[in-house]
Amino acid sequence: MRTQVVIIGAGPAGLLLSHLLAADGVESVVLETRSREYVLARIRAGILEHSSVELLTDVGLGERLARESMPHRGIYLHTPEQRTHLDFVDLVGHGIHVYGQTDLTRDLVDARVRGGQQLVYEVTGTALHDIDTARPYVTFVDADGAARRIDADVVVGCDGSFGPSRQAVPDPRTWERTYPYAWLGVLADVAPSTDELIYAWHPDGFAMHSMRSAAVSRLYLQVPPGTDIAEWSDDRIWTALAARLGHGRDGWTLTPGPITEKSVLPMRGFVAAPMRHGRLFLAGDAAHIVPPTGAKGLNLAIADVARLAPALGALLRGDGALAAAYSDTALARVWRCQHFSWWMTTMLHVTDDPFDAQLQLAQLRWVASSEAGARGLAENYTGLPLR
Ligand code: APR
Ligand code: PHB
């Protein structure tokens, strides 16, 4: 079998890339180890930057997004001293959208299926070959157990942090930070107790109130890494959330409800460079991981492929300049987001060092009271322009 671009991984990065390439007349095949059902059920992040929404809308993926996403003007920063609303629209001229990655993935899969895209699920043994040449190929075993080979002009690794693509880059440079805390995340069948997201600093640890819809809340608690979920009963979770999010302060209440999912997420920063080797390009989690506090993971994956798609289109038409620049330009945004995610994370998560706590509170007071401080957060949170 032969195609122009083999895309490894059907997460948001791989699916959106195949969509953007198709719009440019470039043919691709997407390979995915999991089943379609598994990919569509996976619970992930929920914030889309302003520029991500603009891009998705521009390329015909905005219909359900416009109908079902929740536009938010900003966020609340909460400490035991005060709750401050940061109005991003006032500060930088635009807000963000709350829209689950699950919903976006469904939109992308629907659009790809409508467009006749080849999405090959449940593959095993994905291996990359001859990426140093102009004729790379990928081998795998399909769901029926047949050995297959696809020849291509370009291979793109969108296979997340555990996929094989990154390993195919010889001698990559990597940077890693393991944060000394984790998140316990829950989904609950209860209307959100807040109109916009609450990011809370508390001596017991960070907490966040997010949402998926008018009837479903998403909440997080800072917990020690390696926490056993069995130690956290639903009651214990709601009690900790109430304390950290300020239940009872100034008449605000947190309404608990049935928890339908809980999991512990590690907090890690990671970057691998370069994001290109020969005819192999990396995008999304395959090249970088950010801790979730800045809500950047999904948006960074979108930003990568927004840059990569025109670069590949040009490369296949004989102009390699954008493709040559891809790794450096993508990494500049990756590091901006890595820094913002680190800044939000270290400002909001408690350590056992009381000096850290005072620095965090001083920083939070500055962001809450200074327009310059608030605007810096707003500019990064809503996302820098894609182009
Ligand atoms: N062959 C084919 N597919 C693979 C392989 C493989 N060997 N290994 C992994 N995959 C698939 C995974 O099953 C997954 O569906 O690659 C896909 C990678 O998707 P994501 O992990 O969603 O990564 P990405 O598309 O870069 O999206 C980034 O996802 O992890 C979140 O927080 C992150 O929101 C961000 C977004
Ligand atoms: C989420 O809704 O899952 C979410 C929102 C904001 C974050 C992280 C996760 O910073």
Side-chain angles (χ1 to χ4, degrees):
M1 195 176 160
R2 185 174 162 81
T3 189
Q4 288 180 288
V5 180
V6 176
I7 299 172
I8 305 176
L15 290 168
L16 180 58
L17 179 63
S18 70
H19 186 92
L20 298 175
L21 289 175
D24 193 21
V26 175
E27 183 196 77
S28 64
V29 173
V30 182
L31 303 178
E32 167 60 51
T33 41
R34 303 288 190 165
S35 67
R36 177 179 302 185
E37 295 67 38
Y38 180 95
V39 171
L40 286 172
R42 209 159 39 188
I43 295 161
R44 290 270 183 82
I47 300 295
L48 287 177
E49 290 175 359
H50 167 73
S51 43
S52 299
V53 172
E54 257 182 6
L55 172 83
L56 293 166
T57 306
D58 283 353
V59 298
L61 293 163
E63 195 208 327
R64 218 165 59 89
L65 178 68
R67 208 169 51 238
E68 292 178 21
S69 72
M70 295 179 277
H72 281 196
R73 291 184 67 93
I75 59 167
Y76 294 100
L77 275 186
H78 181 91
T79 71
E81 293 168 7
Q82 58 181 343
R83 179 172 298 187
T84 309
H85 183 243
L86 301 183
D87 191 310
F88 298 158
V89 180
D90 287 349
L91 288 161
V92 293
H94 41 249
I96 45 141
H97 284 243
V98 174
Y99 195 59
Q101 186 169 320
T102 315
D103 298 295
L104 176 61
T105 305
R106 188 181 35 184
D107 297 348
L108 286 164
V109 169
D110 288 352
R112 295 323 303 129
V113 169
R114 271 202 308 277
Q117 173 75 40
Q118 281 211 61
L119 301 167
V120 187
Y121 287 94
E122 298 180 68
V123 307
T124 50
T126 317
L128 296 78
H129 308 271
D130 291 356
I131 55 169
D132 286 321
T133 74
R135 289 279 170 267
Y137 64 99
V138 175
T139 54
F140 61 97
V141 175
D142 71 17
D144 299 324
R148 305 260 306 262
R149 166 174 169 157
I150 308 183
D151 292 86
D153 300 310
V154 168
V155 177
V156 184
C158 297
D159 43 357
S161 42
F162 306 108
S165 298
R166 192 171 64 235
Q167 266 69 46
V169 177
D171 302 321
R173 174 120 199 247
T174 61
W175 296 262
E176 183 159 15
R177 167 127 328 159
T178 304
Y179 293 90
Y181 19 75
W183 277 12
L184 193 169
V186 304
L187 265 186
D189 276 340
V190 60
S193 298
T194 178
D195 55 345
E196 299 200 319
L197 271 63
I198 307 171
Y199 286 79
W201 183 97
H202 188 275
D204 294 348
F206 170 74
M208 184 166 77
H209 191 332
S210 181
M211 59 200 74
R212 286 292 176 274
S213 69
V216 177
S217 297
R218 177 83 169 140
L219 300 118
Y220 298 98
L221 286 168
Q222 178 186 346
V223 292
T227 289
D228 178 1
I229 198 98
E231 289 166 23
W232 285 84
S233 67
D234 293 6
D235 270 356
R236 183 177 175 201
I237 290 170
W238 284 114
T239 304
L241 286 167
R244 298 186 195 183
L245 291 168
H247 175 82
R249 266 263 317 273
D250 302 326
W252 183 79
T253 55
L254 176 68
T255 308
I259 290 177
T260 55
E261 196 266 347
K262 37 176 143 169
S263 54
V264 174
L265 326 168
M267 302 279 283
R268 200 162 75 94
F270 175 84
V271 180
M275 287 170 64
R276 175 200 188 170
H277 176 76
R279 286 296 178 102
L280 168 67
F281 295 79
L282 301 178
D285 279 18
H288 42 73
I289 300 291
V290 288
T293 326
K296 287 290 163 234
L298 173 58
N299 294 291
L300 212 41
I302 292 172
D304 283 351
V305 299
R307 202 177 290 282
L308 183 55
L312 294 183
L315 178 68
L316 294 172
R317 287 186 288 268
D319 177 358
L322 287 175
Y326 168 70
S327 180
D328 286 346
T329 46
L331 283 164
R333 189 183 186 95
V334 167
W335 278 111
R336 172 87 301 279
C337 292
Q338 201 65 255
H339 176 267
F340 177 65
S341 305
W342 165 85
W343 181 72
M344 287 286 280
T345 300
T346 53
M347 174 168 73
L348 288 162
H349 290 72
V350 302
T351 67
D352 50 16
D353 184 339
F355 196 91
D356 284 346
Q358 295 308 317
L359 293 178
Q360 292 168 335
L361 287 168
Q363 175 92 308
L364 284 159
R365 283 183 211 113
W366 174 66
V367 173
S369 62
S370 148
E371 189 168 319
R375 188 170 287 138
L377 190 155
E379 184 179 61
N380 282 280
Y381 197 104
T382 57
L384 298 163
L386 281 177
R387 287 183 267 272

